Amino acid sequence: VAAPMARRLAAAGASSGEAFRQLEQIGDQLAASLSSLPTSSLVPMLHACAVAGLPHATLFAAAAQDLSGHLGPLPIVEAFEASAALRLSIPELQALFNTFMDEELERRLPGTSLARLVAAAARLGFMKGEHTQRLLDRFLTIASPMRAPSVETLTTLCHGLYLSSWSPGGHELWQIALWLSVLDQTHKTHPQSIALRNFALSVLSCPQSQEIVDGFQPNLQLSIAKVLRGGQSAPRIPMSDTTLKFRHEVSEVLRRAGRPYDLDLNLGPGLSVELTLPGPIGTLWLLDGPEAFHHPFFSPAAQERSSSSSGPSEPRLVPGEQRRAELLQLAMDTARVDGLEQALGRWEHVGDRASSSSSCGDIGSASHDKAGMAAGPLLRLFGSASCRTEMPARLARLDWLSWSRLPPAQRLGVLIESRPACIVAPAEKVALARAAMRNK
């Protein structure tokens, strides 16, 4: 019953509130009677929720408890993928993942499924450093060192490594670079190019991995550099009406106050901020809607804690948003950016090709070799130094829930506040605004 309704709901774009409520009621009934249903129906039910966009925490929690010890490792991976599609991260799923790792079930998975597990668990925030390394070691053990995995498998693996903040070792990074070089001319979709570029950017931004890549063969260095250069624009992520309304309200507050602002400023390869207040004392604002957070927004334990505190607890950012903030902070650091671009120039062997090039233009008109890489002066990855000098020095986040709690009279002050206290977590920002009101 649930699966056909889920498909209809997804086809309708979740526009039918009544259909969504009916599907939620079906989820309630399934969760209550899960013990009487065949175990083989668990994963299809979770997949139906993912198709419909229904993060039914009760159903997923009940299914997670039944999945442990009753099904093989592959259905559990599919359950994690359904949860990750919904950004549904709950303790029962974390416990299932821990059991999965304790029982070494990854040893029964093929390489493609291992990559899927790494990505799904990383999206849910379940991965610890030892988990990531163990799963990667297993993947490298069963994969062919010379014959590259499919583009989809390698992209999925690299995306999971990026989200889990993997600290690379020499052998593992060399193997991934070799596979990237083998797949250099293979067609990649735009999302795949973005995922590989994010991984390469995380490699470039880590001093340890920079040093490792500096010791690679030139063709492997160049393969990583080409991934970084590929596809400079990130796809526009679909936003909910809630997010659109929130961002419109923020810009309207600034417009009515006559304050200058810019929208969707690009700072580097796929790195952008939603709102910029220009000037040396301005701020780069990340305006987070529901899509930036895990479901459920408030866990039962958090709600109990918030009931005894002065303010509500905040939802948890998904790993992708945490990583984005880290890379944006890096892009704002002029000294570090100069070091990154010098390292990228070494990997592209700009100096070698520039010495043999018959002509050299300026940064904006550097010549290119047959491989499509810079053959003249260094092509900037993060924009010109002058643009970075004029960039606001501060990065801040604000989510739609914190914004809705702010009194209208306080909203402009929060956005343009010039004191360092502006750079705090959303919950602390709301507390500061409330404290200011009490002190008046």
Side-chain angles (χ1 to χ4, degrees), residues 14-40:
S15 59
S16 172
E18 179 60 31
F20 199 88
R21 283 190 293 272
Q22 290 179 8
L23 186 58
E24 195 168 25
Q25 291 172 0
I26 292 174
D28 293 337
Q29 296 171 5
L30 291 173
S33 58
L34 210 57
S35 58
S36 63
L37 299 174
T39 308
S40 59

Short mmCIF file of all heavy atoms in Angstrom, two decimals, residues 14-40:
data_model
loop_
_atom_site.label_atom_id
_atom_site.label_comp_id
_atom_site.label_asym_id
_atom_site.label_seq_id
_atom_site.Cartn_x
_atom_site.Cartn_y
_atom_site.Cartn_z
N ALA A 14 5.11 16.22 -3.86
CA ALA A 14 4.73 16.38 -2.46
C ALA A 14 3.81 17.58 -2.27
O ALA A 14 3.80 18.22 -1.23
CB ALA A 14 5.96 16.48 -1.57
N SER A 15 3.03 17.91 -3.32
CA SER A 15 2.16 19.08 -3.24
C SER A 15 0.86 18.77 -2.53
O SER A 15 0.15 19.67 -2.11
CB SER A 15 1.88 19.61 -4.65
OG SER A 15 1.25 18.59 -5.43
N SER A 16 0.54 17.51 -2.41
CA SER A 16 -0.73 17.13 -1.79
C SER A 16 -0.52 16.86 -0.31
O SER A 16 0.02 15.84 0.09
CB SER A 16 -1.29 15.89 -2.49
OG SER A 16 -2.42 15.40 -1.78
N GLY A 17 -0.92 17.83 0.51
CA GLY A 17 -0.79 17.66 1.95
C GLY A 17 -1.60 16.50 2.47
O GLY A 17 -1.16 15.78 3.37
N GLU A 18 -2.77 16.27 1.88
CA GLU A 18 -3.63 15.18 2.33
C GLU A 18 -2.99 13.82 2.05
O GLU A 18 -2.99 12.93 2.91
CB GLU A 18 -4.98 15.27 1.63
CG GLU A 18 -5.97 14.16 2.03
CD GLU A 18 -6.27 14.17 3.53
OE1 GLU A 18 -6.25 15.28 4.13
OE2 GLU A 18 -6.53 13.09 4.08
N ALA A 19 -2.40 13.67 0.85
CA ALA A 19 -1.73 12.42 0.52
C ALA A 19 -0.54 12.18 1.44
O ALA A 19 -0.27 11.05 1.86
CB ALA A 19 -1.27 12.43 -0.94
N PHE A 20 0.17 13.24 1.77
CA PHE A 20 1.31 13.11 2.67
C PHE A 20 0.86 12.66 4.05
O PHE A 20 1.49 11.81 4.68
CB PHE A 20 2.06 14.45 2.76
CG PHE A 20 3.46 14.32 3.26
CD1 PHE A 20 4.50 14.09 2.39
CD2 PHE A 20 3.75 14.43 4.61
CE1 PHE A 20 5.80 13.97 2.84
CE2 PHE A 20 5.04 14.32 5.08
CZ PHE A 20 6.07 14.08 4.18
N ARG A 21 -0.23 13.24 4.54
CA ARG A 21 -0.75 12.84 5.85
C ARG A 21 -1.22 11.39 5.84
O ARG A 21 -1.03 10.66 6.82
CB ARG A 21 -1.89 13.77 6.26
CG ARG A 21 -1.42 15.14 6.75
CD ARG A 21 -2.56 15.93 7.36
NE ARG A 21 -3.56 16.30 6.37
CZ ARG A 21 -3.49 17.42 5.63
NH1 ARG A 21 -2.48 18.25 5.79
NH2 ARG A 21 -4.43 17.71 4.76
N GLN A 22 -1.82 10.97 4.73
CA GLN A 22 -2.24 9.57 4.63
C GLN A 22 -1.04 8.63 4.67
O GLN A 22 -1.07 7.59 5.34
CB GLN A 22 -3.02 9.36 3.33
CG GLN A 22 -4.40 10.02 3.32
CD GLN A 22 -5.11 9.80 2.00
OE1 GLN A 22 -4.65 9.04 1.15
NE2 GLN A 22 -6.24 10.49 1.82
N LEU A 23 0.03 9.00 3.96
CA LEU A 23 1.22 8.17 3.97
C LEU A 23 1.84 8.13 5.37
O LEU A 23 2.33 7.09 5.81
CB LEU A 23 2.23 8.70 2.96
CG LEU A 23 3.49 7.86 2.74
CD1 LEU A 23 3.12 6.46 2.27
CD2 LEU A 23 4.42 8.52 1.74
N GLU A 24 1.80 9.23 6.07
CA GLU A 24 2.33 9.27 7.44
C GLU A 24 1.51 8.35 8.35
O GLU A 24 2.07 7.66 9.21
CB GLU A 24 2.31 10.70 7.97
CG GLU A 24 3.15 10.89 9.22
CD GLU A 24 3.35 12.35 9.54
OE1 GLU A 24 2.51 13.17 9.13
OE2 GLU A 24 4.36 12.68 10.20
N GLN A 25 0.19 8.33 8.16
CA GLN A 25 -0.65 7.44 8.96
C GLN A 25 -0.34 5.98 8.64
O GLN A 25 -0.32 5.13 9.54
CB GLN A 25 -2.12 7.75 8.68
CG GLN A 25 -2.58 9.10 9.22
CD GLN A 25 -3.97 9.47 8.77
OE1 GLN A 25 -4.63 8.71 8.04
NE2 GLN A 25 -4.44 10.64 9.18
N ILE A 26 -0.08 5.70 7.36
CA ILE A 26 0.29 4.33 6.99
C ILE A 26 1.60 3.95 7.68
O ILE A 26 1.78 2.84 8.18
CB ILE A 26 0.42 4.20 5.46
CG1 ILE A 26 -0.95 4.32 4.81
CG2 ILE A 26 1.07 2.87 5.08
CD1 ILE A 26 -0.90 4.36 3.29
N GLY A 27 2.55 4.90 7.72
CA GLY A 27 3.81 4.65 8.41
C GLY A 27 3.60 4.36 9.88
O GLY A 27 4.26 3.47 10.45
N ASP A 28 2.70 5.09 10.52
CA ASP A 28 2.38 4.83 11.93
C ASP A 28 1.86 3.40 12.12
O ASP A 28 2.26 2.69 13.06
CB ASP A 28 1.34 5.82 12.43
CG ASP A 28 1.88 7.25 12.50
OD1 ASP A 28 3.11 7.41 12.58
OD2 ASP A 28 1.06 8.19 12.47
N GLN A 29 0.95 2.99 11.22
CA GLN A 29 0.38 1.65 11.33
C GLN A 29 1.44 0.57 11.09
O GLN A 29 1.48 -0.45 11.79
CB GLN A 29 -0.76 1.51 10.32
CG GLN A 29 -1.94 2.44 10.59
CD GLN A 29 -2.95 2.44 9.45
OE1 GLN A 29 -2.82 1.67 8.49
NE2 GLN A 29 -3.93 3.32 9.54
N LEU A 30 2.32 0.80 10.11
CA LEU A 30 3.37 -0.17 9.82
C LEU A 30 4.34 -0.29 10.99
O LEU A 30 4.77 -1.39 11.35
CB LEU A 30 4.13 0.23 8.55
CG LEU A 30 3.34 0.12 7.23
CD1 LEU A 30 4.16 0.70 6.09
CD2 LEU A 30 2.97 -1.33 6.93
N ALA A 31 4.69 0.85 11.59
CA ALA A 31 5.62 0.82 12.72
C ALA A 31 5.03 0.05 13.90
O ALA A 31 5.75 -0.68 14.59
CB ALA A 31 5.97 2.25 13.15
N ALA A 32 3.72 0.19 14.10
CA ALA A 32 3.07 -0.49 15.22
C ALA A 32 2.95 -1.99 14.99
O ALA A 32 2.90 -2.77 15.96
CB ALA A 32 1.70 0.13 15.47
N SER A 33 2.89 -2.40 13.73
CA SER A 33 2.68 -3.84 13.44
C SER A 33 3.87 -4.46 12.73
O SER A 33 3.73 -5.47 12.04
CB SER A 33 1.43 -4.00 12.56
OG SER A 33 1.56 -3.27 11.35
N LEU A 34 5.06 -3.90 12.92
CA LEU A 34 6.22 -4.35 12.17
C LEU A 34 6.58 -5.80 12.49
O LEU A 34 7.04 -6.54 11.61
CB LEU A 34 7.41 -3.44 12.49
CG LEU A 34 8.45 -3.27 11.39
CD1 LEU A 34 7.81 -2.73 10.12
CD2 LEU A 34 9.56 -2.33 11.85
N SER A 35 6.36 -6.22 13.72
CA SER A 35 6.74 -7.57 14.11
C SER A 35 5.94 -8.64 13.37
O SER A 35 6.39 -9.79 13.25
CB SER A 35 6.57 -7.76 15.62
OG SER A 35 5.23 -7.50 16.00
N SER A 36 4.77 -8.27 12.86
CA SER A 36 3.92 -9.24 12.16
C SER A 36 4.18 -9.26 10.66
O SER A 36 3.55 -10.05 9.94
CB SER A 36 2.45 -8.93 12.42
OG SER A 36 2.11 -7.65 11.91
N LEU A 37 5.06 -8.40 10.17
CA LEU A 37 5.34 -8.31 8.74
C LEU A 37 6.61 -9.08 8.41
O LEU A 37 7.51 -9.21 9.25
CB LEU A 37 5.50 -6.84 8.32
CG LEU A 37 4.29 -5.94 8.53
CD1 LEU A 37 4.63 -4.49 8.20
CD2 LEU A 37 3.12 -6.41 7.67
N PRO A 38 6.71 -9.61 7.19
CA PRO A 38 7.94 -10.32 6.81
C PRO A 38 9.14 -9.38 6.80
O PRO A 38 9.03 -8.21 6.39
CB PRO A 38 7.63 -10.85 5.41
CG PRO A 38 6.51 -10.00 4.91
CD PRO A 38 5.71 -9.60 6.11
N THR A 39 10.27 -9.88 7.24
CA THR A 39 11.47 -9.05 7.32
C THR A 39 11.87 -8.52 5.96
O THR A 39 12.41 -7.41 5.85
CB THR A 39 12.63 -9.87 7.92
OG1 THR A 39 12.21 -10.46 9.15
CG2 THR A 39 13.82 -8.99 8.19
N SER A 40 11.59 -9.28 4.91
CA SER A 40 11.96 -8.86 3.56
C SER A 40 11.24 -7.59 3.11
O SER A 40 11.65 -6.95 2.14
CB SER A 40 11.68 -9.98 2.56
OG SER A 40 10.30 -10.33 2.59
#
